[in-house]
Amino acid sequence: MNTYFKDEYTFLSEFKERLEKRYIVELANASTRQKYNVLGEMVSEVIADNWMDTKNVLSNNNLKEVYYFSMEFLMGRLITNNIMNLGLRNVIEKGLEIEGLDLNEIEHFESDAGLGNGGLGRLAACFLDSIASLGYPGYGNGIRYRYGLFEQKIQGGYQIEKPDDWLKDGYVWEVRKDEESITVPFGGKVIFEEGNAVYYPDELINAVPYDVPIVGNDNGVITHLRLWNAEPTEKRPSDKDAFAYDSEIRKISGFLYPDDTTREGKVLRLKQQYFFSAAGVKSIIERHLEKYEDFALLPEKVVIQINDTHPSIVVAELMRLLVDDHGLEWDEAWDITTRTCAYTNHTILAEALEKWSVDIFQPVLPRIYQIVEEINRRFCKELLDKGYDQEKVTKLAIISNGRVHMAHLAIVGSFSVNGVAALHTNILKNIEMKDFSNLYPNKFNNKTNGITHRRWLLHSNPELSSIMDMVSDNWVNDPNELEKLLKKATTKKYRTLVKKMKKTKKVALAERIEKEQGIKLDPNSIFDIQVKRLHEYKRQLMNALHIMYVYNKLKSDSNFKENYYPHSFIFGAKAASGYHFAKKVIKLINTIAEKVNNDPETSDLLKVVFVENYNVTYAEAIMPACDLSEQISTASKEASGTGNMKFMMNGALTIGTLDGANVEIAELVGEENILLFGLNADEVNQVNIDKTYNPKAIYDNHVDLHLVIDQLTNGFFEDVAKEEFREISDRLLFSDNYLVLEDFEGYRLAHARANDLYKDEEAWFKATIINIAKSGYFSSDRTIKQYATEIWNIKPIK
Ligand SMILES: *Cc1c(COP(=O)(O)O)cnc(C)c1O
């Protein structure tokens, strides 16, 4: 252990001395930025020691390593995580306390590394934490976006997007490694010389790695996330001047596409995908060759996990390097490649399954395109040899109808294809990818997602952590130990403790919301929360319609009002910048909030707030403060969800459909401890096949819902134009693919059950405790152990 952290006095004197040396300032006059930077540097030095040690251990043994390739890593803040995982929190806190300083305030200076859109990127971040904390030799590979996902402001009820300039103050954790830069080729042509393909690219782009340490919890292990930065080289197209070219190249690592379902800026996006995939693969291969000399051992020493289709081009790039640059025969290279790559599927939404038009793909990546063609030719031949008819072959082909199907490339080129929750994997195997699953029955497997209980319980909810400490002294290392809380579900003592914890977290969230947005929430009301990306399939709109229904009832039905427990409905969501309808839903939620919050007749019973700029750091305050977790996607559309798991682990009950991992939550807690409603996945599928969804009929027959839909366009919202929400009512009545009106009645009844259950305090907190106790299954430590043993075949360092 670094001696500065020996005790609080040593720490404090070093801290002061560094402030003076570096910033010529005394502690009393130092700004938060100065204090943050000095603290970050001190912590980084401890990391450096452990990092070297881990590297040395790894270079002295021959363990197999996993590389997690992902276009997104939604890391959030690292300082809290790093300080806690290194075991430094106590000393630092005490040292600062001597001077009346608060560590929290210093931590808040760090901007979130928001290099992801939502669940998929956050999953990657949780996985890195579990990999390091379990001591596995594993690394992330991604892009160092200059700008992360946009910062959201709400103005006049509308979403405004501001650039997320997260690097403006520098980033204390990253280490630039010029020496390990890789050049990535683009464009140009391929010429066959003496039977060999020789690739003459138009441009070479310099990929410079920045390594961000990933600190294992209390085990001395440090792995890293390697983020690639794009920079120009001398080799550029002859018609471009150096200055313009420089800024063009930097765009490749310029910004994250604020959209995880539709594709824009196509060429640039494809370049991004190839850029970090190619740089990652080449750096792996160079490292491998230094150590093992030839490629025969590659699949025994390296596994590349392809997170969604964005990096599936890895398959073709690995083939290119092995065949073109290292002279392997095709068959041998293919055998090595398909034993090294594994693929995770994240969605069955058709619009999100990536397909690249050949017109774009071929000119940007001419040699890669030839290789994909050859993979496809051999694959189609194999199918024909097996007796598949031409129609089937076209359906499964990697290239068909002028498009490259990235999911097909990933499936054909990998030894493992996994879904992210039991239901999702079943849908993949039995419906969406049935033909592939029949062809490769052993490739398909399930790995239900998880979340790191360190960030989402230990760090973000110390109050609940101390309750856990009373029943287990090992739950941090073994989250299954959370189950020890189960036998306390029937004790008054623990119900009271959990209730008190909830209240504390609700008060804290209410204070933050009041401070930032001026809306006062009653911490004794039910905190009913839906936070996640805004998308039609997630059905924030159904939640909003239900709030309108409640409001109408409170105004018109005294029995209803009598029986209604006060609720605060909290939303948080970013809408993709080009997703017009999603943005309308944000406007609707804010319009409802404006109306109901200012009605004195209801405002003691009903409050609505849309929190600005939902991100990881905000989530850390929101999850622990929730009573009712809204997980209400149309069944079969949410692959897993991970927000549902964070809420559960912090003692919220779920109101939800049997979708994604909700199915597994329900199995674990039992149907009496979750509020289920709506069609299940089979029923949704059947409705779609039979085309029996008739929203107009539901509208005609449901008096209360009829009124709500009319209110969207009849001037009920005085402060907006009458036509403002016309497209929402049109969508609901004529073109809604997500069955909002179909599930509304079930949803309404589930809310009524929740309302009654909450009034029975004993029953509610018993259910709460059961949810917490059963949530250990959703630790990403469990998920990562399954990946490690069932896919990766890797062993921990010690
Ligand atoms: C967990 C998380 C998500 C994913 O939420 P879902 O409800 O699973 O869609 C998205 N964004 C942030 C900031 C998160 O922390």
Side-chain angles (χ1 to χ4, degrees):
M1 174 61 62
N2 191 307
T3 49
Y4 313 138
F5 293 100
K6 197 171 72 205
D7 57 54
E8 61 265 37
Y9 305 101
T10 320
F11 159 70
L12 185 62
S13 81
E14 178 70 18
F15 185 65
K16 286 178 168 172
E17 196 176 321
R18 286 185 181 220
L19 276 168
E20 288 170 17
K21 281 196 183 135
R22 170 138 186 207
Y23 292 112
I24 330 296
V25 69
E26 287 183 2
L27 178 58
N29 299 320
S31 67
T32 311
R33 183 184 70 91
Q34 292 166 334
K35 287 181 272 197
Y36 169 82
N37 282 339
V38 165
L39 181 62
E41 280 162 20
M42 289 177 72
V43 174
S44 290
E45 287 173 25
V46 180
I47 290 176
D49 292 344
N50 290 339
W51 205 349
M52 275 305 294
D53 291 347
T54 307
K55 274 184 199 239
N56 288 335
V57 170
L58 282 175
S59 69
N60 291 331
N61 64 36
N62 295 331
L63 289 178
K64 183 174 181 182
E65 301 179 334
V66 60
Y67 291 84
Y68 197 82
F69 277 47
S70 179
M71 192 116 181
E72 304 185 13
F73 288 91
L74 197 58
M75 302 298 284
R77 254 184 218 145
L78 291 188
I79 185 155
T80 315
N81 205 66
N82 291 352
I83 286 176
M84 294 192 78
N85 285 5
L86 291 168
L88 303 177
R89 185 151 196 109
N90 232 331
V91 168
I92 296 174
E93 247 168 14
K94 279 197 191 150
L96 293 172
E97 244 165 50
I98 297 172
E99 294 285 341
L101 295 171
D102 182 3
L103 173 55
N104 269 312
E105 197 189 309
I106 299 177
E107 288 170 334
H108 276 255
F109 183 79
E110 183 170 318
S111 349
D112 272 37
L115 311 183
N117 276 293
L120 176 144
R122 184 54 231 172
L123 182 77
C126 283
F127 279 5
L128 293 182
D129 182 72
S130 284
I131 286 171
S133 293
L134 294 170
Y136 287 113
Y139 311 92
N141 186 73
I143 298 177
R144 181 178 180 269
Y145 300 103
R146 178 64 188 78
Y147 295 94
L149 182 61
F150 63 86
E151 191 187 327
Q152 179 191 56
K153 297 262 182 241
I154 301 294
Q155 275 174 22
Y158 295 103
Q159 168 175 298
I160 308 288
E161 297 123 34
K162 299 252 156 100
D164 168 35
D165 195 2
W166 71 291
L167 285 170
K168 68 173 182 299
D169 299 300
Y171 194 50
V172 282
W173 310 115
E174 67 185 6
V175 181
R176 179 180 166 108
K177 301 239 164 110
D178 286 283
E179 296 71 15
E180 295 177 46
S181 299
I182 301 277
T183 49
V184 179
F186 284 98
K189 53 187 181 298
V190 183
I191 292 172
F192 284 87
E193 293 170 3
E194 295 166 16
N196 291 320
V198 184
Y199 176 31
Y200 295 94
D202 259 354
E203 49 184 345
L204 293 174
I205 291 173
N206 200 17
V208 183
Y210 284 74
D211 289 349
V212 179
I214 307 294
V215 179
N217 183 43
D218 203 17
N219 63 355
V221 172
I222 312 272
T223 71
H224 64 254
L225 164 60
R226 173 159 281 197
L227 297 173
W228 297 97
N229 196 50
E231 300 176 15
T233 64
E234 290 303 307
K235 172 89 182 131
R236 60 170 192 268
S238 48
D239 58 331
K240 297 203 170 156
D241 85 81
F243 195 71
Y245 188 65
D246 187 281
S247 70
E248 188 182 315
I249 291 316
R250 288 178 194 277
K251 274 191 195 155
I252 291 179
S253 50
F255 60 95
L256 169 79
Y257 281 90
D259 195 334
D260 45 10
T261 50
T262 58
R263 299 291 163 229
E264 282 174 25
K266 286 194 165 39
V267 169
L268 190 53
R269 173 130 183 140
L270 179 63
K271 282 188 166 181
Q272 287 186 326
Q273 295 185 355
Y274 182 64
F275 169 73
F276 87 99
S277 301
V281 171
K282 193 155 179 203
S283 74
I284 290 170
I285 282 209
E286 285 182 357
R287 199 176 131 94
H288 178 83
L289 276 188
E290 273 170 29
K291 212 165 168 179
Y292 301 104
E293 283 156 28
D294 75 34
F295 291 108
L297 277 179
L298 190 72
E300 282 162 52
K301 296 299 170 192
V302 169
V303 53
I304 296 175
Q305 189 67 37
I306 299 172
N307 191 32
D308 210 346
T309 52
H310 320 131
S312 49
I313 210 157
V314 154
V315 171
E317 176 65 5
L318 187 51
M319 286 299 289
R320 186 182 77 83
L321 293 179
L322 294 179
V323 173
D324 289 0
D325 291 5
H326 295 278
L328 268 66
E329 291 300 321
W330 183 277
D331 287 334
E332 192 189 355
W334 184 244
D335 176 61
I336 289 170
T337 299
T338 52
R339 288 192 293 126
T340 303
C341 298
Y343 158 61
T344 303
N345 174 285
H346 281 272
T347 180
I348 54 165
L349 292 183
E351 71 264 29
L353 284 174
E354 279 192 304
K355 297 172 197 80
W356 288 104
S357 160
V358 171
D359 299 340
I360 291 175
F361 198 99
Q362 187 172 23
V364 177
L365 306 169
R367 180 57 185 153
I368 288 293
Y369 182 70
Q370 286 176 346
I371 286 171
V372 175
E373 268 187 323
E374 180 61 14
I375 295 171
N376 183 51
R377 191 188 65 76
R378 289 169 180 247
F379 173 61
C380 291
K381 178 166 182 302
E382 185 188 319
L383 294 180
L384 289 168
D385 291 349
K386 285 201 162 112
Y388 283 61
D389 63 30
Q390 191 56 54
E391 193 187 339
K392 215 33 170 303
V393 173
T394 307
K395 194 173 151 208
L396 299 187
I398 298 165
I399 304 172
S400 63
N401 302 316
R403 296 198 294 181
V404 184
H405 295 244
M406 301 305 271
H408 297 189
L409 177 63
I411 295 170
V412 174
S414 299
F415 67 87
S416 163
V417 177
N418 75 283
V420 291
L423 174 69
H424 169 62
T425 301
N426 282 335
I427 293 173
L428 283 182
K429 285 208 278 199
N430 301 325
I431 302 172
E432 294 298 319
M433 297 186 168
K434 190 171 177 190
D435 295 320
F436 280 111
S437 157
N438 288 338
L439 181 63
Y440 306 121
N442 299 325
K443 276 193 192 183
F444 283 75
N445 65 91
N446 177 246
K447 296 290 167 280
T448 298
N449 281 169
I451 54 167
T452 166
H453 62 286
R454 285 166 292 273
R455 182 176 291 257
W456 297 109
L457 176 52
L458 181 64
H459 305 172
S460 63
N461 198 340
E463 293 81 358
L464 180 53
S465 299
S466 16
I467 297 175
M468 280 317 307
D469 290 341
M470 295 165 63
V471 296
S472 163
D473 53 16
N474 195 37
W475 67 272
V476 177
N477 292 320
D478 178 9
N480 291 319
E481 293 261 309
L482 292 177
E483 212 163 333
K484 289 202 169 152
L485 199 61
L486 203 53
K487 59 178 185 294
K488 308 291 185 187
T490 47
T491 68
K492 176 124 199 278
K493 178 179 162 194
Y494 277 83
R495 285 198 304 269
T496 310
L497 284 170
V498 169
K499 182 180 168 198
K500 200 166 149 237
M501 171 280 288
K502 236 342 131 188
K503 181 76 180 285
T504 306
K505 304 314 269 184
K506 286 162 75 174
V507 168
L509 178 63
E511 278 171 2
R512 173 165 177 181
I513 289 173
E514 186 173 8
K515 192 164 137 235
E516 290 182 11
Q517 297 183 233
I519 297 172
K520 208 174 162 64
L521 303 180
D522 173 7
N524 293 314
S525 63
I526 296 176
F527 278 23
D528 178 307
I529 307 186
Q530 186 172 22
V531 286
K532 47 184 74 248
R533 284 302 290 267
L534 214 138
H535 198 288
E536 282 168 278
Y537 85 80
K538 292 178 182 277
R539 298 201 293 197
Q540 283 94 348
L541 180 53
M542 186 164 76
N543 188 347
L545 297 179
H546 176 256
I547 295 168
M548 290 173 69
Y549 158 83
V550 168
Y551 177 70
N552 291 338
K553 282 293 198 188
L554 290 175
K555 301 282 281 185
S556 65
D557 181 338
S558 58
N559 275 338
F560 183 94
K561 189 169 181 180
E562 190 94 326
N563 196 34
Y564 196 68
Y565 199 94
H567 278 63
S568 299
F569 289 93
I570 300 168
F571 292 86
K574 291 181 184 176
S577 50
Y579 193 171
H580 174 77
F581 191 80
K583 291 178 154 181
K584 268 289 173 205
V585 174
I586 292 180
K587 173 64 176 170
L588 175 63
I589 293 166
N590 283 312
T591 305
I592 295 170
E594 189 69 26
K595 177 143 184 137
V596 308
N597 295 348
N598 294 309
D599 185 336
E601 233 186 293
T602 60
S603 64
D604 288 346
L605 291 171
L606 181 61
K607 281 273 165 62
V608 181
V609 53
F610 187 98
V611 301
E612 230 169 32
N613 201 41
Y614 175 59
N615 63 9
V616 171
T617 295
Y618 216 147
E620 288 166 21
I622 288 172
M623 301 298 165
C626 178
D627 296 306
L628 246 196
S629 151
E630 297 269 354
Q631 308 299 337
I632 59 178
S633 53
T634 315
S636 79
K637 303 295 182 194
E638 186 75 86
S640 164
T642 48
N644 47 2
M645 302 167 185
K646 299 169 199 163
F647 280 120
M648 175 193 186
M649 196 173 272
N650 283 279
L653 303 203
T654 302
I655 180 167
T657 47
L658 277 171
D659 199 15
N662 296 353
V663 176
E664 288 156 84
I665 294 177
E667 278 166 11
L668 284 164
V669 301
E671 296 217 351
E672 63 287 5
N673 296 305
I674 182 169
L675 296 137
L676 293 174
F677 69 91
L679 299 187
N680 66 27
D682 287 338
E683 290 163 344
V684 167
N685 192 31
Q686 206 56 50
V687 166
N688 288 334
I689 290 170
D690 300 343
K691 302 199 183 347
T692 49
Y693 181 44
N694 186 349
K696 189 67 178 19
I698 298 170
Y699 168 76
D700 288 338
N701 290 315
H702 196 304
V703 179
D704 296 322
L705 190 51
H706 192 107
L707 174 62
V708 167
I709 291 174
D710 287 353
Q711 285 170 333
L712 293 172
T713 54
N714 70 4
F716 171 74
F717 297 114
E718 305 89 349
D719 297 336
V720 298
K722 215 169 153 214
E723 295 300 307
E724 178 75 37
F725 302 122
R726 171 74 59 191
E727 60 193 294
I728 293 185
S729 94
D730 282 352
R731 178 71 53 95
L732 288 166
L733 292 175
F734 307 114
S735 60
D736 170 27
N737 292 321
Y738 300 102
L739 311 180
V740 170
L741 302 195
E742 177 73 38
D743 276 349
F744 183 86
E745 179 61 10
Y747 182 52
R748 183 186 76 79
L749 291 169
H751 264 294
R753 297 202 302 277
N755 183 76
D756 294 343
L757 187 62
Y758 197 83
K759 291 193 213 163
D760 181 350
E761 201 177 290
E762 191 176 324
W764 181 273
F765 285 100
K766 179 179 168 207
T768 291
I769 290 175
I770 292 171
N771 271 269
I772 299 166
K774 290 290 185 176
S775 69
Y777 179 76
F778 295 112
S779 166
S780 46
D781 286 6
R782 186 267 311 152
T783 315
I784 285 301
K785 283 182 194 162
Q786 290 181 326
Y787 274 89
T789 54
E790 296 165 22
I791 301 178
W792 300 337
N793 192 22
I794 60 170
K795 303 233 151 30
I797 293 170
K798 279 173 271 185

